[in-house]
Amino acid sequence: NVSGGVMTHSGYSAYIGEEFSQDSIFEFDFMIPLTSTGEWAAFTIKSQNPGTMCISGGTEYYIGFNTDDVEVQKFVNGERTVFFGQVDGYTPTYGVLPNNFFTPNEFHSIRVGAINVTGGVRIFMYVDGNLVFDITDFSDIITNDGYFSVYGMTKSVSLRAFTDIQNTPDRTALDAAIAEANSVKASDYTTESY
């Protein structure tokens, strides 16, 4: 469904008009109305079989969002590797990544890629100009060109052209800690505490 330059989608859909280059970086605005536990949405990059969902034998890099965290996973012929996230039966390589990046029912600017590097694939994502993750996959990597897919599974998701929204995180606590550290004088500490 497209209205006013915004595409709204429910369920699973893959763009099959063309394969994207193995080094493509995607930029788009994304809105997800996640409001309760159990709701999720996702998109995939480097999808090798766009007609096949990841858990049904697909091969792709998966970036998912729920109310609690951001999930980064890889599927190779349906076999799952969890880089970030809480998935029953799996230990994430890098732990849990809290979803502090998405406000429900607001558009956020996404810049995401899975680009080939020496010996691996670098996977990264920025939301509203803020780095969310930047990791490199070195095992059973997906190096080929691929398709872009969207999973609006429990709620409709909306995409529109990239507008480069910039949201700077609240730095109040950080700035206070820096100010406190800068106010410490040599006479405030001993050799042992230094």
Side-chain angles (χ1 to χ4, degrees):
N1 180 16
V2 178
S3 175
V6 175
M7 180 187 85
T8 303
H9 177 72
S10 294
Y12 168 74
S13 180
Y15 175 74
I16 59 171
E18 69 177 293
E19 279 187 296
F20 293 96
S21 161
Q22 60 195 3
D23 295 326
S24 290
I25 297 173
F26 296 90
E27 295 179 322
F28 54 93
D29 286 359
F30 193 58
M31 179 172 56
I32 48 178
L34 302 178
T35 55
S36 62
T37 301
E39 296 178 343
W40 64 277
F43 53 84
T44 67
I45 49 183
K46 286 199 175 188
S47 180
Q48 300 301 296
N49 356 39
T52 304
M53 292 182 63
C54 55
I55 59 173
S56 300
T59 296
E60 56 203 3
Y61 288 106
Y62 166 104
I63 296 103
F65 311 91
N66 61 49
T67 51
D68 298 320
D69 38 77
V70 176
E71 294 180 356
V72 182
Q73 302 178 36
K74 173 180 62 180
F75 290 85
V76 176
N77 299 319
E79 294 295 319
R80 181 189 317 231
T81 300
V82 178
F83 296 117
F84 287 107
Q86 299 181 67
V87 179
D88 288 342
Y90 294 87
T91 301
T93 306
Y94 300 105
V96 175
L97 184 58
N99 188 358
N100 299 327
F101 307 97
F102 287 94
T103 305
N105 298 308
E106 290 183 15
F107 274 103
H108 295 277
S109 291
I110 306 293
R111 179 176 287 124
V112 63
I115 59 176
N116 296 348
V117 295
T118 303
V121 174
R122 178 180 167 222
I123 311 159
F124 62 90
M125 183 174 70
Y126 289 82
V127 174
D128 298 338
N130 299 295
L131 179 64
V132 178
F133 62 84
D134 189 343
I135 60 175
T136 303
D137 177 19
F138 291 106
S139 176
D140 208 6
I141 57 179
I142 305 168
T143 58
N144 296 335
D145 295 352
Y147 296 92
F148 177 82
S149 304
V150 176
Y151 289 81
M153 299 308 286
T154 58
K155 295 280 184 122
S156 295
V157 296
S158 298
L159 289 92
R160 70 178 183 197
F162 185 72
T163 61
D164 201 15
I165 297 167
Q166 297 290 313
N167 280 332
T168 304
D170 183 359
R171 291 179 42 109
T172 306
L174 175 61
D175 290 340
I178 291 170
E180 181 180 344
N182 287 336
S183 69
V184 174
K185 298 176 186 69
S187 59
D188 294 337
Y189 57 86
T190 64
T191 305
E192 292 80 27
S193 68
Y194 181 70

